[in-house]
Amino acid sequence: TLDSVVEHAVQYMGTIAGLQRSANELVDYIDNAKRLGIVAWQTSEEDSVKLLVSKYGLKVTDMRKQEVFARIPLHKVGSVLHYAEEANQHLVVVETGDADTMEYKYYLYRAASEGQARAVCGTFRQAFELVFQKSVVDNL
């Protein structure tokens, strides 16, 4: 369960903002952001961060969990997706936003492997399911 926090060590690539996009449009949007230098092509150990996921949301910290870079409530996370790039690089994209204002942000992270990327997405899925189930029970 996600009554506690699940940690994932990944590498931060950058954040892009704009209109909401489909998964296919998003891949092209990210590639364009890389060409413009908004998002990193490569990452290093200096880009390592911890994603701390719980039923309350996402917290992004340095590896020692001393500095907090972002806090995102779970209800602000629209989607989390994983896609593989050339050279067997696996990206995890966390979409946040507001449907009323049409303002969205995409936080990009490089996972160490396909398995890790799937695990990050799976953790978010568990958090969404837990909150949904609690909501259904509370409304009975």
Side-chain angles (χ1 to χ4, degrees), residues 50-124:
K50 290 240 184 191
L51 301 183
L52 307 169
V53 183
S54 73
K55 63 184 177 186
Y56 302 106
L58 169 67
K59 181 164 67 170
V60 183
T61 70
D62 66 350
M63 294 301 287
R64 294 180 302 193
K65 297 188 276 185
Q66 294 178 337
E67 185 176 354
V68 177
F69 301 122
R71 287 182 197 270
I72 304 166
L74 195 61
H75 72 275
K76 291 285 188 182
V77 176
S79 66
V80 179
L81 66 95
H82 155 244
Y83 74 92
E85 291 192 314
E86 296 175 14
N88 203 29
Q89 295 178 0
H90 297 274
L91 273 60
V92 174
V93 181
V94 178
E95 175 195 65
T96 65
D98 186 336
D100 294 332
T101 64
M102 299 296 290
E103 295 177 12
Y104 292 85
K105 285 188 179 177
Y106 299 94
Y107 298 87
L108 284 68
Y109 303 96
R110 177 160 290 134
S113 66
E114 179 179 1
Q116 184 191 31
R118 288 181 185 270
V120 171
C121 292
T123 301
F124 275 96

Coordinates of all heavy atoms in Angstrom, one line a residue, residues 50-124:
K50 N 15.5 12.4 -5.9 CA 14.6 11.4 -5.4 C 13.2 11.8 -5.7 O 12.8 12.9 -5.4 CB 14.8 11.2 -3.9 CG 16.1 10.6 -3.5 CD 15.8 9.3 -2.8 CE 17.2 8.8 -2.4 NZ 17.2 7.5 -1.9
L51 N 12.4 10.9 -6.3 CA 11.0 11.1 -6.4 C 10.3 10.4 -5.2 O 10.5 9.2 -5.0 CB 10.4 10.5 -7.7 CG 11.0 11.0 -9.0 CD1 10.3 10.3 -10.2 CD2 10.8 12.5 -9.1
L52 N 9.6 11.1 -4.4 CA 9.0 10.5 -3.2 C 7.5 10.6 -3.5 O 6.9 11.7 -3.5 CB 9.3 11.3 -1.9 CG 10.8 11.5 -1.7 CD1 11.1 12.5 -0.6 CD2 11.5 10.2 -1.4
V53 N 6.9 9.4 -3.7 CA 5.5 9.3 -4.1 C 4.7 8.7 -3.0 O 5.0 7.7 -2.4 CB 5.3 8.5 -5.4 CG1 3.9 8.4 -5.8 CG2 6.2 9.0 -6.5
S54 N 3.5 9.4 -2.7 CA 2.6 8.8 -1.7 C 1.2 9.1 -2.1 O 1.0 9.7 -3.2 CB 2.8 9.5 -0.3 OG 2.4 10.9 -0.4
K55 N 0.2 8.7 -1.3 CA -1.2 9.0 -1.7 C -1.5 10.5 -1.6 O -2.5 10.9 -2.1 CB -2.1 8.2 -0.8 CG -2.0 8.6 0.7 CD -2.9 7.7 1.5 CE -2.8 8.0 3.0 NZ -3.5 7.1 3.8
Y56 N -0.6 11.3 -1.1 CA -0.8 12.7 -1.0 C -0.2 13.4 -2.2 O -0.6 14.6 -2.5 CB -0.1 13.3 0.3 CG -0.7 12.6 1.5 CD1 0.0 11.7 2.2 CD2 -2.0 12.9 1.9 CE1 -0.6 11.1 3.3 CE2 -2.6 12.3 3.0 CZ -1.9 11.4 3.7 OH -2.4 10.8 4.8
G57 N 0.8 12.8 -2.9 CA 1.4 13.5 -4.1 C 2.8 13.1 -4.3 O 3.3 12.1 -3.8
L58 N 3.5 14.0 -5.0 CA 4.9 13.9 -5.3 C 5.8 14.9 -4.7 O 5.4 16.1 -4.7 CB 5.1 14.0 -6.9 CG 6.5 14.1 -7.4 CD1 7.3 12.8 -7.2 CD2 6.4 14.4 -8.9
K59 N 6.9 14.5 -4.1 CA 7.9 15.4 -3.6 C 9.2 15.1 -4.3 O 9.5 13.9 -4.4 CB 8.0 15.4 -2.1 CG 9.0 16.3 -1.5 CD 8.9 16.6 0.0 CE 9.2 15.4 0.8 NZ 9.4 15.7 2.2
V60 N 9.9 16.1 -4.8 CA 11.2 15.8 -5.5 C 12.2 16.5 -4.6 O 12.1 17.7 -4.3 CB 11.2 16.4 -6.9 CG1 12.5 16.2 -7.6 CG2 10.0 15.9 -7.7
T61 N 13.2 15.7 -4.3 CA 14.3 16.2 -3.4 C 15.7 15.9 -4.0 O 15.8 15.1 -4.9 CB 14.2 15.6 -2.0 OG1 14.6 14.2 -2.1 CG2 12.8 15.7 -1.4
D62 N 16.7 16.4 -3.3 CA 18.0 16.0 -3.6 C 18.2 14.5 -3.1 O 17.3 14.0 -2.4 CB 19.1 16.9 -3.0 CG 19.1 17.0 -1.5 OD1 18.2 16.4 -0.9 OD2 20.1 17.6 -1.0
M63 N 19.3 13.9 -3.4 CA 19.5 12.5 -3.0 C 19.5 12.3 -1.5 O 19.2 11.2 -1.0 CB 20.8 11.9 -3.6 CG 20.7 11.9 -5.2 SD 19.3 10.9 -5.8 CE 19.9 9.2 -5.4
R64 N 19.9 13.3 -0.7 CA 19.9 13.2 0.7 C 18.6 13.6 1.4 O 18.5 13.6 2.6 CB 21.1 13.9 1.3 CG 22.4 13.3 0.9 CD 23.5 14.1 1.5 NE 23.4 15.5 1.0 CZ 24.3 16.4 1.1 NH1 25.5 16.2 1.7 NH2 24.1 17.6 0.7
K65 N 17.6 14.0 0.6 CA 16.3 14.5 1.0 C 16.4 15.7 1.9 O 15.6 15.9 2.8 CB 15.5 13.3 1.7 CG 15.3 12.2 0.7 CD 14.3 11.2 1.3 CE 15.1 10.2 2.2 NZ 14.3 9.1 2.7
Q66 N 17.4 16.5 1.7 CA 17.5 17.8 2.5 C 16.9 19.0 1.8 O 16.4 19.9 2.4 CB 19.0 18.0 2.8 CG 19.6 16.9 3.7 CD 21.0 17.1 4.0 OE1 21.7 17.8 3.3 NE2 21.5 16.6 5.1
E67 N 17.0 19.0 0.4 CA 16.5 20.1 -0.3 C 15.3 19.7 -1.1 O 15.4 18.7 -1.9 CB 17.6 20.7 -1.2 CG 17.1 22.0 -2.0 CD 18.3 22.6 -2.8 OE1 19.4 22.1 -2.8 OE2 17.9 23.5 -3.5
V68 N 14.2 20.4 -1.0 CA 13.0 20.1 -1.8 C 12.9 20.9 -3.0 O 12.9 22.2 -2.9 CB 11.7 20.3 -0.9 CG1 10.5 20.0 -1.7 CG2 11.8 19.4 0.3
F69 N 12.8 20.3 -4.2 CA 12.8 21.0 -5.4 C 11.3 21.2 -5.9 O 11.0 22.2 -6.6 CB 13.5 20.3 -6.5 CG 15.0 20.0 -6.2 CD1 15.5 18.8 -6.2 CD2 15.8 21.1 -5.9 CE1 16.8 18.6 -5.9 CE2 17.2 20.9 -5.6 CZ 17.7 19.6 -5.6
A70 N 10.4 20.3 -5.6 CA 9.0 20.4 -6.0 C 8.1 19.6 -5.1 O 8.5 18.6 -4.6 CB 8.9 20.0 -7.4
R71 N 6.9 20.1 -4.9 CA 5.9 19.4 -4.2 C 4.6 19.5 -5.1 O 4.2 20.7 -5.4 CB 5.5 20.0 -2.8 CG 6.5 19.8 -1.8 CD 6.0 20.5 -0.5 NE 7.1 20.6 0.5 CZ 7.4 19.7 1.4 NH1 6.8 18.6 1.5 NH2 8.4 20.0 2.2
I72 N 4.1 18.4 -5.4 CA 2.9 18.4 -6.3 C 1.8 17.5 -5.7 O 2.0 16.3 -5.6 CB 3.3 17.9 -7.7 CG1 4.4 18.7 -8.3 CG2 2.0 17.9 -8.6 CD1 5.1 18.1 -9.5
P73 N 0.7 18.1 -5.3 CA -0.4 17.3 -4.8 C -0.9 16.3 -5.8 O -0.9 16.6 -7.0 CB -1.5 18.3 -4.4 CG -0.9 19.7 -4.5 CD 0.4 19.5 -5.4
L74 N -1.3 15.1 -5.4 CA -1.7 14.1 -6.3 C -2.8 14.5 -7.2 O -2.9 14.2 -8.4 CB -2.1 12.8 -5.5 CG -2.2 11.6 -6.4 CD1 -0.8 11.2 -7.1 CD2 -2.7 10.4 -5.6
H75 N -3.8 15.4 -6.7 CA -4.9 15.8 -7.5 C -4.4 16.7 -8.7 O -5.2 17.0 -9.6 CB -6.0 16.5 -6.7 CG -5.6 17.8 -6.1 ND1 -4.9 18.0 -5.0 CD2 -5.9 19.0 -6.6 CE1 -4.8 19.2 -4.7 NE2 -5.3 19.9 -5.7
K76 N -3.2 17.3 -8.6 CA -2.7 18.1 -9.7 C -2.0 17.3 -10.8 O -1.6 17.8 -11.8 CB -1.7 19.2 -9.1 CG -2.4 20.2 -8.3 CD -3.1 21.2 -9.2 CE -3.7 22.4 -8.4 NZ -4.4 23.3 -9.2
V77 N -1.7 16.0 -10.5 CA -1.0 15.1 -11.5 C -2.0 14.6 -12.4 O -3.0 13.9 -12.1 CB -0.3 14.0 -10.8 CG1 0.4 13.0 -11.8 CG2 0.8 14.5 -9.8
G78 N -1.9 15.0 -13.7 CA -2.8 14.5 -14.7 C -2.5 13.2 -15.3 O -3.4 12.4 -15.5
S79 N -1.2 12.9 -15.5 CA -0.8 11.6 -16.0 C 0.7 11.4 -15.8 O 1.4 12.4 -15.5 CB -1.1 11.5 -17.5 OG -0.3 12.4 -18.3
V80 N 1.1 10.2 -15.9 CA 2.5 9.8 -15.8 C 2.7 8.8 -16.9 O 2.0 7.8 -17.0 CB 2.8 9.2 -14.4 CG1 4.3 8.8 -14.3 CG2 2.5 10.2 -13.3
L81 N 3.7 9.1 -17.7 CA 4.0 8.1 -18.8 C 5.4 7.8 -18.9 O 6.3 8.6 -18.5 CB 3.4 8.6 -20.1 CG 3.9 9.9 -20.8 CD1 5.0 9.5 -21.8 CD2 2.8 10.6 -21.4
H82 N 5.7 6.7 -19.5 CA 7.1 6.2 -19.7 C 7.2 6.0 -21.2 O 6.3 5.5 -21.8 CB 7.3 4.9 -19.0 CG 8.4 4.1 -19.6 ND1 8.1 2.8 -20.1 CD2 9.7 4.3 -19.7 CE1 9.2 2.3 -20.5 NE2 10.2 3.1 -20.3
Y83 N 8.3 6.4 -21.8 CA 8.6 6.1 -23.1 C 10.1 5.9 -23.3 O 10.9 6.4 -22.6 CB 8.1 7.0 -24.2 CG 8.8 8.4 -24.3 CD1 9.8 8.6 -25.2 CD2 8.4 9.5 -23.5 CE1 10.4 9.8 -25.3 CE2 9.0 10.7 -23.6 CZ 10.0 10.8 -24.5 OH 10.6 12.0 -24.7
A84 N 10.5 5.0 -24.2 CA 11.9 4.7 -24.5 C 12.4 5.5 -25.7 O 11.7 5.6 -26.7 CB 12.0 3.2 -24.8
E85 N 13.6 6.0 -25.5 CA 14.2 6.7 -26.6 C 15.3 5.8 -27.2 O 15.5 4.7 -26.7 CB 14.9 8.0 -26.0 CG 13.9 9.1 -25.6 CD 14.6 10.4 -25.4 OE1 15.7 10.4 -24.7 OE2 14.1 11.4 -25.8
E86 N 15.9 6.4 -28.2 CA 17.0 5.6 -28.8 C 18.1 5.4 -27.7 O 18.1 6.1 -26.7 CB 17.6 6.4 -30.0 CG 16.6 6.6 -31.1 CD 17.2 7.5 -32.2 OE1 18.4 7.7 -32.2 OE2 16.4 7.9 -33.0
A87 N 19.0 4.5 -28.0 CA 20.1 4.1 -27.1 C 19.6 3.6 -25.7 O 20.2 3.8 -24.7 CB 21.0 5.4 -26.9
N88 N 18.3 3.0 -25.7 CA 17.8 2.4 -24.6 C 17.7 3.3 -23.3 O 18.0 2.9 -22.2 CB 18.6 1.1 -24.2 CG 17.8 0.1 -23.4 OD1 16.6 0.1 -23.5 ND2 18.5 -0.6 -22.6
Q89 N 17.3 4.6 -23.6 CA 17.1 5.5 -22.5 C 15.6 5.6 -22.2 O 14.8 5.7 -23.1 CB 17.7 6.9 -22.9 CG 19.2 6.9 -23.1 CD 19.7 8.2 -23.5 OE1 19.0 9.2 -23.6 NE2 21.0 8.3 -23.7
H90 N 15.3 5.6 -20.9 CA 13.9 5.5 -20.5 C 13.5 6.8 -19.8 O 14.1 7.1 -18.8 CB 13.6 4.3 -19.7 CG 13.8 3.0 -20.5 ND1 12.9 2.5 -21.3 CD2 15.0 2.3 -20.6 CE1 13.4 1.4 -21.9 NE2 14.6 1.3 -21.5
L91 N 12.5 7.5 -20.3 CA 12.0 8.7 -19.7 C 10.7 8.5 -19.0 O 9.9 7.8 -19.5 CB 11.9 9.8 -20.8 CG 13.1 10.6 -21.1 CD1 14.2 9.8 -21.6 CD2 12.7 11.7 -22.1
V92 N 10.5 9.2 -17.9 CA 9.3 9.3 -17.2 C 8.8 10.7 -17.2 O 9.6 11.6 -16.9 CB 9.4 8.8 -15.7 CG1 8.1 9.0 -15.0 CG2 9.8 7.3 -15.7
V93 N 7.6 10.9 -17.6 CA 7.1 12.3 -17.7 C 5.9 12.4 -16.8 O 4.9 11.6 -16.9 CB 6.6 12.6 -19.2 CG1 6.1 14.0 -19.3 CG2 7.7 12.4 -20.2
V94 N 6.0 13.4 -15.9 CA 4.9 13.7 -15.0 C 4.2 14.9 -15.5 O 4.8 16.0 -15.5 CB 5.4 13.9 -13.5 CG1 4.2 14.2 -12.6 CG2 6.1 12.6 -13.1
E95 N 2.9 14.8 -15.9 CA 2.1 15.9 -16.3 C 1.3 16.5 -15.2 O 0.6 15.8 -14.5 CB 1.2 15.5 -17.5 CG 0.2 16.6 -17.9 CD -0.9 16.0 -18.7 OE1 -1.8 15.3 -18.2 OE2 -1.0 16.4 -19.9
T96 N 1.4 17.8 -15.0 CA 0.6 18.5 -14.0 C -0.2 19.6 -14.7 O 0.3 20.1 -15.8 CB 1.4 19.1 -12.9 OG1 2.2 20.1 -13.4 CG2 2.2 18.0 -12.2
G97 N -1.2 20.0 -14.2 CA -1.9 21.2 -14.8 C -3.3 21.4 -14.3 O -3.8 20.8 -13.3
D98 N -3.9 22.4 -15.0 CA -5.2 22.8 -14.6 C -6.1 22.9 -15.9 O -5.8 23.7 -16.8 CB -5.1 24.2 -13.9 CG -6.4 24.7 -13.4 OD1 -7.5 24.3 -13.9 OD2 -6.4 25.5 -12.5
A99 N -7.1 22.1 -16.0 CA -8.0 22.0 -17.2 C -8.7 23.4 -17.3 O -9.0 23.7 -18.5 CB -8.9 20.9 -17.1
D100 N -8.9 24.1 -16.3 CA -9.7 25.4 -16.4 C -8.8 26.4 -17.0 O -9.3 27.2 -17.9 CB -10.1 25.9 -15.0 CG -11.2 24.9 -14.4 OD1 -11.9 24.3 -15.1 OD2 -11.2 24.9 -13.1
T101 N -7.5 26.5 -16.7 CA -6.6 27.5 -17.2 C -5.9 27.0 -18.5 O -5.3 27.8 -19.2 CB -5.6 28.0 -16.2 OG1 -4.8 26.9 -15.9 CG2 -6.3 28.5 -15.0
M102 N -6.0 25.7 -18.7 CA -5.2 25.1 -19.8 C -3.7 25.2 -19.7 O -3.0 25.2 -20.7 CB -5.7 25.6 -21.2 CG -7.2 25.4 -21.4 SD -7.6 23.6 -21.6 CE -6.8 23.2 -23.1
E103 N -3.2 25.4 -18.5 CA -1.8 25.6 -18.2 C -1.3 24.2 -17.7 O -1.7 23.7 -16.7 CB -1.5 26.7 -17.2 CG -1.9 28.0 -17.8 CD -1.7 29.1 -16.7 OE1 -1.0 28.9 -15.7 OE2 -2.2 30.2 -16.9
Y104 N -0.3 23.7 -18.4 CA 0.3 22.4 -18.1 C 1.8 22.4 -18.0 O 2.4 23.2 -18.7 CB -0.1 21.3 -19.1 CG -1.6 21.0 -19.0 CD1 -2.5 21.8 -19.8 CD2 -2.1 20.0 -18.2 CE1 -3.9 21.5 -19.7 CE2 -3.5 19.7 -18.2 CZ -4.3 20.5 -18.9 OH -5.7 20.3 -18.8
K105 N 2.3 21.6 -17.1 CA 3.8 21.5 -17.0 C 4.1 20.0 -17.1 O 3.3 19.1 -16.6 CB 4.3 22.0 -15.6 CG 4.4 23.5 -15.5 CD 5.1 23.9 -14.3 CE 5.2 25.4 -14.2 NZ 5.8 25.8 -12.9
Y106 N 5.2 19.7 -17.7 CA 5.7 18.4 -17.9 C 7.1 18.3 -17.3 O 8.0 18.9 -17.7 CB 5.8 18.0 -19.4 CG 4.4 18.1 -20.0 CD1 4.0 19.2 -20.7 CD2 3.5 17.0 -20.0 CE1 2.7 19.3 -21.3 CE2 2.3 17.1 -20.6 CZ 1.9 18.2 -21.2 OH 0.6 18.3 -21.8
Y107 N 7.2 17.5 -16.2 CA 8.5 17.2 -15.5 C 9.1 16.0 -16.1 O 8.5 14.9 -16.1 CB 8.2 17.1 -14.0 CG 7.6 18.3 -13.4 CD1 6.3 18.5 -13.3 CD2 8.5 19.3 -12.8 CE1 5.7 19.7 -12.8 CE2 7.9 20.4 -12.2 CZ 6.6 20.6 -12.2 OH 6.0 21.7 -11.6
L108 N 10.3 16.1 -16.6 CA 11.0 15.0 -17.3 C 12.1 14.4 -16.4 O 12.9 15.1 -15.9 CB 11.6 15.4 -18.6 CG 10.6 15.6 -19.7 CD1 9.7 16.8 -19.5 CD2 11.3 15.8 -21.0
Y109 N 12.1 13.1 -16.3 CA 13.1 12.3 -15.5 C 13.6 11.2 -16.3 O 12.8 10.5 -17.0 CB 12.5 11.8 -14.2 CG 11.9 12.9 -13.4 CD1 10.5 13.2 -13.4 CD2 12.7 13.7 -12.5 CE1 10.0 14.2 -12.7 CE2 12.2 14.7 -11.8 CZ 10.8 15.0 -11.9 OH 10.3 16.0 -11.1
R110 N 14.9 10.9 -16.2 CA 15.5 9.7 -16.9 C 15.6 8.6 -15.8 O 16.2 8.8 -14.8 CB 16.8 10.1 -17.5 CG 17.5 8.8 -18.1 CD 18.6 9.1 -19.1 NE 18.0 9.7 -20.3 CZ 18.5 10.7 -20.9 NH1 19.5 11.3 -20.4 NH2 17.9 11.2 -22.0
A111 N 15.0 7.5 -16.2 CA 15.1 6.3 -15.3 C 16.4 5.5 -15.7 O 16.8 5.6 -16.8 CB 13.9 5.5 -15.4
A112 N 16.9 4.7 -14.8 CA 18.1 3.9 -15.0 C 17.8 2.7 -16.0 O 18.7 2.3 -16.7 CB 18.6 3.4 -13.7
S113 N 16.5 2.3 -16.0 CA 16.1 1.1 -16.8 C 14.6 1.2 -17.1 O 13.9 1.9 -16.5 CB 16.5 -0.1 -16.1 OG 15.6 -0.2 -14.9
E114 N 14.2 0.3 -18.0 CA 12.8 0.1 -18.3 C 12.1 -0.3 -17.1 O 11.0 0.2 -16.8 CB 12.6 -0.9 -19.4 CG 11.1 -1.1 -19.8 CD 10.9 -2.0 -20.9 OE1 11.9 -2.6 -21.5 OE2 9.7 -2.2 -21.3
G115 N 12.7 -1.2 -16.3 CA 12.0 -1.7 -15.1 C 11.8 -0.6 -14.1 O 10.7 -0.5 -13.5
Q116 N 12.8 0.3 -13.9 CA 12.6 1.4 -13.0 C 11.5 2.4 -13.5 O 10.7 2.8 -12.7 CB 13.9 2.1 -12.8 CG 13.8 3.2 -11.7 CD 14.9 4.2 -11.6 OE1 15.6 4.5 -12.6 NE2 15.2 4.7 -10.4
A117 N 11.5 2.7 -14.8 CA 10.5 3.6 -15.3 C 9.1 3.0 -15.1 O 8.2 3.7 -14.7 CB 10.7 3.8 -16.8
R118 N 9.0 1.7 -15.3 CA 7.7 1.0 -15.1 C 7.3 1.0 -13.6 O 6.1 1.2 -13.2 CB 7.7 -0.4 -15.6 CG 7.7 -0.5 -17.1 CD 7.7 -2.0 -17.6 NE 7.8 -2.1 -19.0 CZ 6.8 -2.1 -19.8 NH1 5.6 -2.1 -19.3 NH2 7.0 -2.2 -21.1
A119 N 8.3 0.9 -12.8 CA 8.1 0.9 -11.3 C 7.6 2.3 -10.9 O 6.6 2.4 -10.1 CB 9.3 0.6 -10.5
V120 N 8.2 3.4 -11.4 CA 7.7 4.7 -11.1 C 6.3 4.9 -11.5 O 5.4 5.4 -10.7 CB 8.6 5.8 -11.8 CG1 8.0 7.2 -11.6 CG2 10.0 5.8 -11.2
C121 N 5.9 4.5 -12.7 CA 4.6 4.7 -13.2 C 3.6 3.8 -12.4 O 2.5 4.2 -12.1 CB 4.5 4.2 -14.7 SG 5.3 5.4 -15.8
G122 N 4.1 2.6 -12.0 CA 3.3 1.7 -11.2 C 3.0 2.3 -9.8 O 1.9 2.1 -9.3
T123 N 3.9 3.0 -9.2 CA 3.8 3.6 -7.9 C 2.7 4.7 -8.0 O 1.8 4.8 -7.2 CB 5.1 4.2 -7.4 OG1 6.0 3.2 -7.3 CG2 4.9 4.9 -6.1
F124 N 2.7 5.5 -9.1 CA 1.7 6.5 -9.3 C 0.3 5.9 -9.5 O -0.7 6.3 -8.9 CB 2.0 7.4 -10.5 CG 2.9 8.6 -10.1 CD1 4.3 8.5 -10.3 CD2 2.4 9.8 -9.6 CE1 5.1 9.6 -10.0 CE2 3.2 10.8 -9.3 CZ 4.6 10.7 -9.5

